Amino acid sequence: MANSAEEPSCPIDPAARAAWIEKARQARPQEDYHPITQQTPPSTQTPIPIPNQPRILKTRPLASDREISSIPRADPTLSTITPNPSSSIPRAAANNEQETGSDVKSGNWIYPSEKMFFDAMKRKNYSPRATDMSAIVPIHNAVNEKAWAEIKDWERRFAWSRVENQNCGGPRLHSFSGDSKKLSPRARWNGLLGYQEPFDRHDWVVERCPGQARVEYVIDFYAGRDEGKGRGLNFYLDVRPKLNSWEGWKMRVGRLVGLG
């Protein structure tokens, strides 16, 4: 765990934070919630089961400890390639050191603490409950770890057999942004076919080697009931390269035809 003396903000929009809190409440067996009736799209990956979170009945101070992720952070000072002109990702990293930071020892990204998550919601005039934080933060972290595992699988299949990538130590996350109100083209199409819409969307920018063009990924987040085990809640991810570059097209078509 890491402890931060600062109270930095994260670039994920507050509406997305509210959606995550709602999903965390649904994960608790004591909470009443509307059942999810629409199916998740067939493109989603294996569900991520979330253990039922006990309701905290006794108020306690919000934790300020921060968990170090398994996600390596790209060094912004070594990243000199301008992103694809058609990209929706800003030219500068969506997070900077004073916002999210990286672990000094491992160089990995650090997740926000309970207090940071709560304070960010309060600053945007939302009304979070302190008792929700003990549930939402572990869920948020676990789902992001799964998203990174899916990205690494794409990279392993289509990038790391290339000679130019083999000495760079593996992919690193350069930046990310979130917008729960912006549907990806696939999510919009799946909605027209009757599938549920994602409750959140992230755009992650991955660096393979310093000086190379970065690869952008889109991640749609879905929530669904575990029909075989009562009222438990699962999360489903749809992770894929964006179709805004030749590299993204090659990877998507390659998986479609079974080359990766």
Side-chain angles (χ1 to χ4, degrees):
M1 303 287 286
N3 190 286
S4 174
E6 299 179 355
E7 294 300 332
S9 62
C10 286
I12 306 305
D13 69 296
R17 288 181 178 274
W20 279 95
I21 288 176
E22 177 61 24
K23 298 307 173 186
R25 290 172 181 169
Q26 293 178 10
R28 292 173 173 166
Q30 299 94 331
E31 294 283 355
D32 293 326
Y33 65 98
H34 299 291
I36 298 171
T37 57
Q38 290 177 295
Q39 292 183 330
T40 56
S43 54
T44 53
Q45 308 296 329
T46 303
I48 310 166
I50 302 298
N52 290 330
Q53 302 289 328
R55 178 181 292 179
I56 296 178
L57 301 178
K58 183 177 180 181
T59 302
R60 64 166 175 78
L62 289 169
S64 59
D65 290 340
R66 302 174 62 187
E67 181 180 347
I68 300 170
S69 77
S70 68
I71 307 173
R73 177 175 180 139
D75 185 347
T77 62
L78 299 179
S79 302
T80 58
I81 298 297
T82 301
N84 188 294
S86 64
S87 169
S88 61
I89 301 296
R91 182 168 301 210
N95 307 65
N96 57 46
E97 291 295 335
Q98 66 191 32
E99 287 178 327
T100 303
S102 58
D103 177 51
V104 175
K105 188 174 182 179
S106 68
N108 291 357
W109 289 84
I110 307 175
Y111 291 122
S113 66
E114 292 179 11
K115 189 173 189 308
M116 291 166 60
F117 214 105
F118 182 84
D119 289 346
M121 294 290 295
K122 294 285 285 185
R123 283 195 298 270
K124 297 297 183 179
N125 297 319
Y126 281 76
S127 300
R129 298 196 307 228
T131 51
D132 288 328
M133 298 302 106
S134 64
I136 185 57
V137 171
I139 291 174
H140 172 272
N141 296 356
V143 172
N144 278 282
E145 290 292 319
K146 177 61 175 176
W148 183 244
E150 295 292 341
I151 288 176
K152 287 200 301 181
D153 185 58
W154 276 99
E155 292 291 302
R156 178 187 61 80
R157 292 168 181 255
F158 296 101
W160 292 99
S161 60
R162 302 177 192 170
V163 175
E164 65 267 26
N165 294 329
Q166 292 178 355
N167 296 322
C168 293
R172 297 176 179 273
L173 180 61
H174 174 267
S175 57
F176 66 90
S177 62
D179 190 344
S180 61
K181 298 178 181 179
K182 184 178 180 181
L183 290 179
S184 65
R186 177 185 281 182
R188 188 178 296 108
W189 174 251
N190 284 332
L192 293 175
L193 295 177
Y195 294 103
Q196 66 164 286
E197 294 182 351
F199 71 87
D200 197 10
R201 166 191 169 161
H202 284 189
D203 296 85
W204 291 19
V205 182
V206 172
E207 182 180 277
R208 292 171 176 171
C209 290
Q212 288 187 9
R214 304 178 194 119
V215 181
E216 297 181 26
Y217 284 81
V218 61
I219 307 168
D220 288 323
F221 296 83
Y222 297 86
R225 293 181 62 183
D226 185 351
E227 298 297 342
K229 298 181 181 179
R231 299 181 62 188
L233 189 72
N234 284 336
F235 288 89
Y236 300 80
L237 306 183
D238 189 0
V239 183
R240 68 274 185 197
K242 282 188 177 183
L243 296 177
N244 64 348
S245 66
W246 173 237
E247 181 68 11
W249 276 96
K250 286 194 300 182
M251 295 170 72
R252 293 274 286 272
V253 172
R255 174 166 283 192
L256 182 65
V257 300
L259 295 180

